[in-house]
Amino acid sequence: MSAPKELEFKGYAMTDPSAWSTLTVTSFKPKPLAPEDVEIAITHCGVCGSDLHTLTGGWGQASLPLVVGHEIVGRVTRVGEKVQGIKVGDRAGVGAQVGSCLKCRACDDNYENYCPNLIHTYNHVYPDGTATQGGYSTGIRAHERFVFPIPDKLESRYAASMLCAGVTVYSPLKANNAGPGKKVGVIGIGGLGHYAVLFAKAMGCEVWAFTRGTKKAEDVKKMGADHVVDTTVDGYWKDLQMTFDILISTVDSFPPGVSIRNFLAMLYVHGKYICVGLPDIDEPLPAIHPFDVLGNGSLIGGSHIGSKEDMMEMLALAAEKDVKPWIEELPMKDAGKALEGVKAGKVRYRYVLKQDIVPVEE
């Protein structure tokens, strides 16, 4: 058998922070292929709000050159000798994490997404000093713990954005026992919010969508929401006090005057307000008072992407229930256009980039 063709690593990179959406094809050095690593030739990559926050400096200074993208699907081209359950030719994906210590309590308990020494898919560094680069590129290498086989029933273009946006909302729904009989509210109907509606409904919940205005109302009903609430209407929360078991907040900005007290009042006893949207680092949550959480014993929490266990369960559910995100597919060279669309709020509801540097058989 002939040796596999060497994958050339290059991607659409930011080289000048003052021109963050002008991305140029740049070669980069991947991490050495370790015994438990998988190499993937990328066919698709979703465009995440994290990409925008990182490129624009909202979450701190970026290391240059920088290739973003952490909703990655492609074909496996190489595997280390210790890899199990994944072989060359398989379709597989990578999300927002490519490594962890694999020996701490969190890793041992299948919470590797909370490992204090996790390695992000881009704008981070491996222990050997190699910079991590993301999925607006030809390929990626990652430890098998962070590589996910894609079910045959899921098209790559649909699976891609599940690997960050999807699992980011699936994980807290699962952790907080979403299912039949549960009432779930989704705050903000963008990329994350539309996934929260899709998965909460697939899990059997009764779903409310909270959105500013009515322009997305028909869309969100088609996604499966049972109720749509316009948060620009005075007193929108009053008839919903003590209603929800879970509120998933996907918003990444809080307009002046916005209060989360009204949302906390809508939670049932010991209900959870879970933050998954991440604003820029200089935009904290609106202030609350201890009285705001005493009346119903409500709890405020967060959630960070998901574990491999979460990811595999989510992909299986999506395949079983035919969950399909609402996407707009673009060639990878239009990554800058997609990023500008995310910034302007034009996307409905997730952009997915298709490989065009080195075409790969899907």
Side-chain angles (χ1 to χ4, degrees):
M1 181 182 292
S2 61
K5 184 178 179 182
E6 184 97 11
L7 184 60
E8 185 178 359
F9 288 82
K10 57 176 73 172
Y12 290 96
M14 177 178 73
T15 57
D16 178 2
S18 68
W20 57 265
S21 64
T22 301
L23 309 179
T24 56
V25 176
T26 304
S27 296
F28 62 89
K29 176 186 174 183
K31 75 180 296 289
L33 189 77
E36 295 178 322
D37 283 352
V38 177
E39 178 183 278
I40 296 173
I42 295 167
T43 59
H44 297 80
C45 185
V47 177
C48 184
S50 302
D51 304 344
L52 181 66
H53 285 291
T54 302
L55 291 170
T56 58
W59 290 349
Q61 186 174 356
S63 299
L64 301 178
L66 175 62
V67 179
V68 298
H70 57 205
E71 298 179 335
I72 299 164
V73 172
R75 288 282 177 184
V76 175
T77 50
R78 294 174 68 190
V79 296
E81 62 265 28
K82 293 185 178 180
V83 170
Q84 298 181 354
I86 300 171
K87 64 184 186 302
V88 171
D90 286 352
R91 277 191 315 143
V94 174
Q97 184 178 0
V98 290
S100 70
C101 77
L102 301 176
K103 56 188 179 184
C104 69
R105 179 183 175 187
C107 288
D108 286 345
D109 287 344
N110 290 323
Y111 294 129
E112 65 272 13
N113 47 312
Y114 295 106
C115 174
N117 295 304
L118 65 80
I119 304 171
H120 297 294
T121 301
Y122 60 75
N123 201 37
H124 215 167
V125 180
Y126 290 104
D128 70 353
T130 303
T132 64
Q133 300 288 3
Y136 298 7
S137 65
T138 56
I140 191 166
R141 293 174 181 169
H143 188 281
E144 63 179 337
R145 181 86 168 253
F146 307 96
V147 177
F148 316 109
I150 304 300
D152 291 340
K153 289 184 179 180
L154 283 182
E155 292 183 50
S156 295
R157 60 182 177 142
Y158 292 134
S161 61
M162 293 183 186
L163 302 185
C164 178
V167 78
T168 292
V169 296
Y170 175 83
S171 181
L173 286 168
K174 170 193 165 184
N176 291 287
N177 302 311
K182 297 290 186 177
K183 293 178 168 58
V184 173
V186 178
I187 305 167
I189 307 301
L192 285 176
H194 105 288
Y195 260 125
V197 171
L198 292 170
F199 278 119
K201 196 63 183 175
M203 295 167 86
C205 304
E206 186 175 1
V207 181
W208 279 255
F210 291 87
T211 183
R212 293 180 62 81
T214 59
K215 63 182 179 181
K216 296 180 181 178
E218 291 307 311
D219 284 356
V220 80
K221 289 177 185 176
K222 291 175 184 176
M223 293 170 196
D226 301 288
H227 316 274
V228 183
V229 180
D230 179 0
T231 60
T232 65
V233 175
D234 287 344
Y236 66 88
W237 69 90
K238 291 181 179 179
D239 291 338
L240 293 170
Q241 293 183 67
M242 294 279 284
T243 295
F244 296 104
D245 301 289
I246 311 165
L247 285 173
I248 301 287
S249 174
T250 72
V251 296
D252 66 357
S253 65
F254 296 94
V258 167
S259 171
I260 66 170
R261 293 170 178 169
N262 300 332
F263 286 106
L264 295 176
M266 289 188 282
L267 289 168
Y268 183 59
V269 176
H270 297 160
K272 310 286 183 60
Y273 178 97
I274 306 296
C275 303
V276 295
L278 289 177
D280 285 349
I281 55 177
D282 60 353
E283 293 185 41
L285 279 173
I288 65 167
H289 191 280
F291 277 123
D292 298 328
V293 294
L294 292 184
N296 52 7
S298 58
L299 303 165
I300 299 175
S303 184
H304 180 241
I305 51 175
S307 66
K308 185 160 192 172
E309 182 179 277
D310 294 335
M311 193 76 78
M312 299 312 298
E313 289 178 3
M314 175 198 68
L315 292 170
L317 178 66
E320 177 191 351
K321 299 288 189 179
D322 196 29
V323 174
K324 287 189 175 75
W326 291 34
I327 64 170
E328 296 181 44
E329 196 171 359
L330 296 170
M332 202 169 278
K333 65 180 175 64
D334 286 344
K337 175 182 175 182
L339 289 161
E340 293 281 5
V342 172
K343 185 174 177 59
K346 294 179 179 178
V347 59
R348 297 291 185 272
Y349 283 84
R350 209 74 179 176
Y351 290 120
V352 175
L353 304 176
K354 187 172 181 179
Q355 180 63 253
D356 61 6
I357 303 173
V358 179
V360 181
E361 183 179 348
E362 296 182 34

